[in-house]
Amino acid sequence: VIELRVSRAPMEASIPLRDQKDPNSSSKVDYGSTKTLKAREAFMERSKELCIEAHNMGEDHVEVGGAIKALVYGGLDGIITTFATVTTVAGANLSSAVILILGVAHLFADGISMGLGDYMGSKAEEDLIKRERAREEWEFKENPEGEIKEMVDLYVGKGIAKKDAEDIMRILSKYEQAFIDIMMIEELNLNPNEEDEALYSATITFVSFAAFGSIPLLSYLAAIIPGVEISSDEQFYASVVLTGITMFILGAIKGRLVNQNWLFSGFTMMSTGFVAAFCGWIIGYGLSRAGFSEPH
């Protein structure tokens, strides 16, 4: 996966004001609080009563931030990548030993690549945010009127009357940190509350990729246990079943995170994985028929 890290600032535009109330509050996305779930339920049902109820609830944050996202997307990428490897080699009619060797090699090589890519992307974004915030803080101290004018012009461009925009900015400029937070979101499209979690996110990605990516290989690993006898066909079919179930579960979790129907999201993800795997099988089968491998 992954992912060029696209800023999440637009959907978190209200966070800076919240953080002014509580400097110690986390900027992580709260996917799991009861309040958030109730608000989503209200939106799905278009229920004003549920909406009011959600807004009257106290905060009960379950702070997960990017961890769940890294877990789900790393897992999906890992399981689909490994499953495609399994089906490709199976399509080429190669032995189970070859499937196991290539599967494990791809699992760890791709997992490390994923983790490092996630780390470097996250670190680059964090460094950019720190540099831009330092610059904005310096500009606000040296030329506050110029910064206020920039924000007024930006709000006028959004359709707000100039006088109203000036009044808003004059009030916000009394609170330097809040002003700079909002300026970074509105002007630079950067989330000023991104935390230094590049290494943490990269570790989650790698572990998730490796853990879920190993599922298509479980039946092949079981076959090497002394005393366990599983035919190559049984190994393959078991891999298909285990992988399909896991992809559905991960897809359902992903659907819940992005406020989609979990059943539809689960079937969509499972179908996507099977399409990728089938393409791999076709390629392996075609290369085998072309004489690039010998039947075992």
Side-chain angles (χ1 to χ4, degrees):
V1 171
I2 157 135
E3 112 182 72
L4 292 174
R5 289 173 56 93
V6 179
S7 173
R8 296 188 295 272
M11 77 173 179
E12 297 177 346
S14 63
I15 288 177
L17 293 179
R18 182 197 74 188
D19 286 348
Q20 293 304 313
K21 298 176 184 177
D22 181 5
N24 297 317
S25 63
S26 172
S27 65
K28 295 178 181 179
V29 179
D30 177 15
Y31 291 113
S33 77
T34 304
K35 181 175 182 177
T36 301
L37 295 177
K38 179 67 70 174
R40 288 176 177 168
E41 181 184 355
F43 173 72
M44 295 298 290
E45 297 183 11
R46 300 299 192 271
S47 171
K48 179 178 179 180
E49 291 76 15
L50 288 177
C51 180
I52 294 173
E53 181 182 344
H55 282 80
N56 288 334
M57 293 175 68
E59 299 291 343
D60 60 340
H61 294 289
V62 179
E63 302 293 356
V64 293
I68 286 184
K69 187 160 92 172
L71 181 70
V72 172
Y73 287 96
L76 285 171
D77 197 40
I79 195 169
I80 292 175
T81 298
T82 309
F83 188 43
T85 299
V86 169
T87 57
T88 300
V89 179
N93 199 29
L94 298 175
S95 69
S96 297
V98 175
I99 292 177
L100 196 55
I101 292 170
L102 290 180
V104 173
H106 281 180
L107 181 64
F108 284 96
D110 290 349
I112 292 172
S113 176
M114 281 276 300
L116 289 175
D118 192 344
Y119 174 78
M120 290 186 289
S122 299
K123 191 64 178 173
E125 184 179 26
E126 290 170 3
D127 292 343
L128 173 63
I129 290 171
K130 288 178 181 178
R131 288 196 303 271
E132 289 302 307
R133 185 178 188 87
R135 179 179 65 82
E136 292 293 352
E137 288 175 346
W138 179 82
E139 289 182 348
F140 185 81
K141 287 182 173 63
E142 297 297 323
N143 184 23
E145 290 300 320
E147 295 296 285
I148 292 172
K149 183 179 182 303
E150 285 184 4
M151 290 296 289
V152 168
D153 291 344
L154 192 151
Y155 274 56
V156 169
K158 292 178 179 290
I160 298 175
K162 184 173 182 179
K163 184 178 185 309
D164 290 341
E166 289 175 345
D167 291 342
I168 293 170
M169 289 304 109
R170 289 296 173 189
I171 293 172
L172 278 175
S173 64
K174 296 177 183 179
Y175 308 94
E176 179 180 340
Q177 295 306 309
F179 182 89
I180 292 173
D181 281 349
I182 294 173
M183 190 170 199
M184 290 186 67
I185 291 173
E186 298 288 1
E187 182 183 12
L188 303 176
N189 199 31
L190 294 174
N191 178 13
N193 297 291
E194 284 285 349
E195 297 184 356
D196 295 335
E197 54 180 21
L199 182 59
Y200 174 71
S201 177
T203 301
I204 293 291
T205 298
F206 170 74
V207 171
S208 177
F209 187 99
F212 286 101
S214 66
I215 289 175
L217 301 174
L218 290 180
S219 58
Y220 295 93
L221 290 169
I224 66 176
I225 298 175
V228 176
E229 294 184 5
I230 308 176
S231 69
S232 58
D233 286 343
E234 290 172 336
Q235 292 173 41
F236 179 73
Y237 294 140
S239 177
V240 171
V241 171
L242 287 173
T243 302
I245 292 172
T246 306
M247 287 192 297
F248 177 83
I249 293 173
L250 284 173
I253 295 173
K254 172 183 148 314
R256 185 170 178 81
L257 293 183
V258 299
N259 203 25
Q260 292 179 345
N261 181 282
W262 66 270
L263 191 62
F264 174 79
S265 181
F267 276 114
T268 299
M269 187 53 60
M270 184 172 65
S271 300
T272 300
F274 280 134
V275 168
F278 180 70
C279 289
W281 188 89
I282 290 294
I283 291 172
Y285 179 77
L287 291 175
S288 175
R289 297 288 291 179
F292 287 95
S293 67
E294 293 294 334
H296 64 276

